[in-house]
Structures are given as C-alpha cells and as structure tokens.
Amino acid sequence: MTNTKSTFEVGSVYEMRFIGDSNLKVKYICVKRTDKSVTFEKFPTASEVITRKIKVWDNIEYILEGSYSMAPSIKASRIVR
C-alpha cells in the first residue's frame, strides 16, 4: 500500500459532482493554487470563478462549493485531463 497524495495541479481539468444528481458533472480548470487554497474557472467558458480552502480526506484533496451537507465537490482524484 502506498501513501501517495492526490493533489490539485494548475492547468488540469476536474469534475464537480453533485450528491443529488450523480449524472451532473461540471468541468472546472485549476488556474491557481497555494498551499492552503485553490482557484478554479468553469471550463471551457470561464463564466464562473471559485476560490476555496483545500481540505484533505483519505490523502485526496477536495473543495466544497458551499457549507451545507449536500454541497457539490471537486476532488483531485476526479481529474478529466
């Protein structure tokens, strides 16, 4: 078993997923990253920009778009390209 950490990388595209609708997958590109936060733009239109604090669960970085229990999330393991 390896202890590799899945992290957000600038220039990579990720899927935002919604708990209430597992078929809804919105793509976001990582445009900026610091040790504590990450900034995404909606891909390919760049119509929405979100900056959130990075959280880690089971060695996978993720962010939540909201502070409620069913908030959509982007996980570093859901890389599209």
Side-chain angles (χ1 to χ4, degrees), residues 24-55:
L24 180 57
K25 299 171 186 170
V26 182
K27 293 179 183 165
Y28 282 84
I29 187 166
C30 180
V31 293
K32 182 181 175 187
R33 187 219 154 85
T34 65
D35 287 341
K36 295 182 180 184
S37 67
V38 65
T39 302
F40 288 96
E41 286 182 356
K42 198 168 186 179
F43 184 78
T45 62
S47 60
E48 182 181 352
V49 177
I50 54 174
T51 301
R52 296 288 180 268
K53 179 181 173 186
I54 297 172
K55 299 178 181 192

Side-chain angles (χ1 to χ4, degrees), residues 1-6 58-59:
M1 184 174 183
T2 60
N3 260 350
T4 58
K5 186 175 183 180
S6 188
D58 202 23
N59 279 334

Side-chain angles (χ1 to χ4, degrees), residues 5-81:
K5 186 175 183 180
S6 188
T7 60
F8 292 118
E9 298 175 5
V10 174
S12 295
V13 178
Y14 299 90
E15 283 183 343
M16 176 182 278
R17 293 209 184 154
F18 298 77
I19 292 174
D21 185 356
S22 62
N23 292 322
L24 180 57
K25 299 171 186 170
V26 182
K27 293 179 183 165
Y28 282 84
I29 187 166
C30 180
V31 293
K32 182 181 175 187
R33 187 219 154 85
T34 65
D35 287 341
K36 295 182 180 184
S37 67
V38 65
T39 302
F40 288 96
E41 286 182 356
K42 198 168 186 179
F43 184 78
T45 62
S47 60
E48 182 181 352
V49 177
I50 54 174
T51 301
R52 296 288 180 268
K53 179 181 173 186
I54 297 172
K55 299 178 181 192
V56 179
W57 174 260
D58 202 23
N59 279 334
I60 299 172
E61 292 184 343
Y62 72 97
I63 64 161
L64 295 174
E65 178 57 16
S67 60
Y68 52 98
S69 63
M70 304 219 5
S73 65
I74 300 175
K75 290 184 178 180
S77 59
R78 292 189 195 133
I79 191 164
V80 176
R81 64 177 181 124

